[in-house]
């Protein structure tokens, strides 16, 4: 049984919102997991006049997006769209050890900051907050890592990486994803603490997490430091086991005085999902906030690969997912930011990671391939407009 109070409240707010806008027609409440096509719902908000960044800021929130050096540098229209709608930029590749065409760490002794510096300068030039992603992960490690790092030098290599990177951007970074995805895909298998097998765990033990946060805090005491993970969103046994394991990890870190300030919830959502339960997610957010942590939605997108082929139907379903999810999470005052994993459908890892079906492009993000606002943009705008002020 899903708690309808939240939906009822949104229905009242929607009505109020539409009355305010003079938009006829009542909103149509929906049971979580059941989404009406936009054909049965009046349009949400006029897009474009007031940017997502402005709508977020008016509620004390931050709206941002991930992007890549190669895309921002080659497409001035993308750059302009990002500056218009976003108050924060996170490099999708350039601050990882190695990803795509970005090789931050070409060798054990070298750092190549050129692409990440370009991104930091872009952010600074356009008054965008800058978020670092990610200092410690078991993926996107450079070619030399496996044959170089071992139990005797792992701490020194980790320390050198964190200190050099965090000090390099000290004073220019809003927040750091210190550790990414340290809990296994399925915490019910494997270790009792649910930790993901990784070189860091193998060489340094579970203490690598506390160590990483302490090194980052020492290198930049002013940066907001967060732990980031995925698979926390839906009402199913797998996601529930992940939420429990992440909560246990956060409780353990807090109990030992680790300098952690927030949880990053990636929020890679599924358009076809029928197990979204606002009450379940809201309960988890409340538990995280109860630890004294802030919450950041860090990689929001909606995978539409398994939705019907019709673009209007897909866009409507994707918009519904954005609105239902954001209405739920923004109800939690500890949530301080919403960051999408890309801004335009032209630049999304989902197009590269997953094969396209029947020649269709994926449509997971607020702007289409031509940087035009989609129903998803309007859904995000509406959720921001209706969010309680921080
Ligand atoms: O573009 C090249 C292509 O030319 C080449 O043939 C191919 C095979 O080498 O690689 C392609 O680049 C890949 C790129 O994705 C584009 O698909 C990179 O190797 C690959 O590293 C990169 O993957 C990134 C992934 O993180 C690993 O770093 C994705 O772009 C990025 O969106 C993804 O982001 C992650 C977050 O960091 C953590 N949370 C999950 C999220 C999605 O997986």
């Amino acid at each position: 049984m899903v708690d309808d109070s939240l939906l009822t409240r949104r229905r009242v707010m929607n009505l109020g919102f539409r009355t305010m806008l003079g938009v006829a027609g009542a909103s149509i409440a929906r049971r979580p997991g059941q989404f009406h096509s936009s054909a049965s719902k009046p349009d949400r908000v006029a897009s474009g006049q007031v940017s997502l960044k402005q709508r977020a800021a008016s509620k004390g929130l931050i709206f941002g997006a991930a992007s890549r050096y190669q895309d921002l540098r080659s497409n001035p229209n993308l750059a302009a769209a990002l500056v218009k709608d976003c108050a924060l930029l996170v490099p999708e590749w350039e601050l990882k050890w190695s990803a795509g065409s970005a090789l931050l760490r070409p060798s054990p002794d070298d750092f190549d900051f050129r692409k990440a510096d370009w991104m930091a300068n872009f952010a600074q030039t356009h008054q965008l907050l800058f978020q670092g992603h990610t200092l410690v992960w078991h993926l996107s490690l450079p070619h030399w890592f496996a044959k170089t790092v071992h139990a005797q030098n792992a701490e020194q290599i980790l320390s050198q990486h964190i200190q050099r990177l965090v000090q390099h951007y000290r004073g220019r970074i809003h927040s750091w994803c210190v550790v990414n995805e340290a809990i296994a895909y399925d915490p019910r298998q494997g270790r009792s603490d649910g930790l993901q097998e990784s070189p860091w765990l193998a060489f340094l033990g579970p203490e690598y997490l506390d160590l990483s946060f302490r090194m980052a805090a020492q290198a930049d005491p002013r940066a907001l430091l967060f732990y980031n993970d995925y698979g926390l969103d839906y009402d199913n046994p797998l996601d529930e086991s992940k939420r429990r394991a992440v909560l246990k990890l956060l409780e353990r870190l807090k109990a030992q005085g680790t300098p952690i300030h927030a949880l990053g919830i990636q929020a890679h959502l599924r358009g076809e999902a029928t197990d979204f339960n606002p009450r379940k997610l809201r309960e988890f957010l409340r538990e995280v906030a109860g630890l004294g942590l802030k919450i950041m939605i860090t990689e929001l997108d909606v995978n539409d690969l398994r939705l019907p082929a019709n673009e209007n139907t897909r866009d409507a379903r994707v918009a519904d997912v954005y609105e239902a999810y954001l209405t739920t999470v923004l109800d939690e005052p500890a949530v301080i930011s919403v960051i999408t994993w890309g801004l335009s459908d032209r630049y999304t890892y989902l197009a590269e990671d997953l094969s396209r079906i029947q020649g269709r492009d994926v449509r997971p993000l607020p702007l289409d391939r031509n940087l035009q606002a989609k129903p998803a943009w309007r859904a995000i705008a509406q959720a921001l407009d209706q969010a309680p002020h921080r």
Side-chain angles (χ1 to χ4, degrees):
M1 178 58 195
V2 173
D3 168 6
D4 277 332
S5 64
L6 189 60
L7 295 177
T8 311
R9 197 156 73 236
R10 187 167 78 242
R11 191 184 313 157
V12 168
M13 280 196 293
N14 272 347
L15 277 174
F17 183 71
R18 292 183 194 296
T19 310
M20 184 179 76
L21 283 181
V23 171
S27 70
I28 297 160
R30 53 181 176 268
R31 282 180 292 105
Q34 301 301 321
F35 295 106
H36 297 275
S37 83
S38 78
S40 62
K41 283 165 63 72
D43 192 14
R44 291 178 165 91
V45 289
S47 65
Q49 285 89 332
V50 181
S51 70
L52 297 179
K53 138 166 95 176
Q54 291 168 307
R55 295 170 193 262
S58 73
K59 299 298 179 71
L61 286 159
I62 297 166
F63 180 80
S67 194
R68 302 168 187 172
Y69 163 84
Q70 64 184 41
D71 301 333
L72 279 180
R73 199 158 177 272
S74 61
N75 186 340
N77 295 328
L78 172 68
L82 191 135
V83 170
K84 174 179 176 239
D85 262 332
C86 298
L88 181 144
L89 168 65
V90 52
E92 190 174 341
W93 290 351
E94 294 72 16
L95 284 172
K96 292 172 178 173
W97 289 58
S98 165
S101 52
L103 184 53
L104 175 71
R105 297 299 312 277
S107 80
D109 302 317
D110 291 320
F111 289 75
D112 181 349
F113 288 113
R114 283 173 297 176
K115 293 183 176 176
D117 280 351
W118 188 94
M119 300 284 272
N121 295 337
F122 179 93
Q124 199 158 0
T125 303
H126 299 289
Q127 290 86 44
L128 303 180
L129 298 170
F130 195 47
Q131 180 175 95
H133 174 91
T134 172
L135 294 170
V136 186
W137 192 19
H138 59 282
L139 297 176
S140 289
L141 294 169
H143 53 84
W144 52 263
F145 190 93
K147 55 181 184 279
T148 307
V149 183
H150 48 69
Q152 284 68 44
N153 67 4
E155 183 170 342
Q156 183 273 325
I157 287 176
L158 178 65
S159 170
Q160 176 200 37
H161 183 80
I162 293 176
Q163 285 182 17
R164 183 74 189 279
L165 208 52
V166 177
Q167 284 170 355
H168 185 81
Y169 291 107
R170 183 171 173 157
R172 292 195 290 168
I173 209 122
H174 166 266
S175 43
W176 273 108
C177 169
V178 177
V179 179
N180 188 45
E181 304 176 7
I183 296 293
Y185 166 76
D186 185 348
R188 298 167 299 183
Q189 320 292 331
R191 294 173 53 99
S192 60
D193 56 13
L195 286 179
Q196 163 73 40
E197 295 302 341
S198 88
W200 306 115
L201 181 66
F203 297 139
L204 300 173
E207 289 318 298
Y208 85 88
L209 286 120
D210 177 64
L211 200 54
S212 303
F213 276 93
R214 290 182 189 280
M215 291 170 180
Q218 188 181 24
D220 184 351
R222 297 190 54 193
L224 186 152
L225 306 178
F226 66 95
Y227 170 74
N228 194 46
D229 220 326
Y230 66 92
L232 302 169
D233 313 296
Y234 292 105
D235 187 4
N236 60 55
L238 176 64
D239 282 19
E240 180 58 21
S241 70
K242 183 99 179 210
R243 286 189 289 269
R244 293 304 110 203
V246 165
L247 208 59
K248 264 174 42 186
L249 171 63
L250 296 175
E251 286 165 350
R252 200 164 61 240
L253 292 174
K254 289 294 286 182
Q256 63 190 68
T258 302
I260 177 172
H261 309 125
L263 167 67
I265 297 178
Q266 293 183 12
H268 290 294
L269 306 179
R270 293 178 281 112
E272 77 285 0
T274 56
D275 52 355
F276 176 63
N277 177 344
R279 183 182 57 74
K280 202 77 177 158
L281 180 59
R282 190 72 190 75
E283 190 181 297
F284 174 65
L285 300 178
R286 207 173 282 119
E287 290 177 288
V288 173
L291 295 174
L293 293 171
K294 295 297 183 190
I295 298 166
M296 306 172 92
I297 306 303
T298 52
E299 305 183 16
L300 181 62
D301 53 21
V302 179
N303 188 333
D304 66 331
L305 206 64
R306 293 174 185 79
L307 290 178
N310 177 283
E311 270 189 15
N312 290 338
T313 305
R314 285 158 66 194
D315 284 357
R317 290 275 188 86
V318 165
D320 282 344
V321 171
Y322 272 112
E323 185 179 350
Y325 189 84
L326 288 177
T327 302
T328 302
V329 299
L330 293 177
D331 188 57
E332 167 51 58
V335 173
I336 60 171
S337 60
V338 174
I339 298 163
T340 52
W341 204 241
L343 193 59
S344 158
D345 296 337
R346 180 180 298 276
Y347 308 102
T348 168
Y349 80 105
L350 289 171
E352 294 141 358
D353 281 14
L354 305 164
S355 63
R356 299 179 186 182
I357 296 176
Q358 296 144 7
R360 277 184 353 214
D361 289 326
V362 290
R363 298 173 65 83
L365 291 168
L367 303 183
D368 68 16
R369 296 176 58 82
N370 300 316
L371 302 170
Q372 298 308 302
K374 294 159 56 187
W377 188 98
R378 290 187 281 280
I380 295 170
Q382 173 155 321
L384 291 169
D385 289 347
Q386 294 178 359
H389 199 288
R390 265 72 188 139

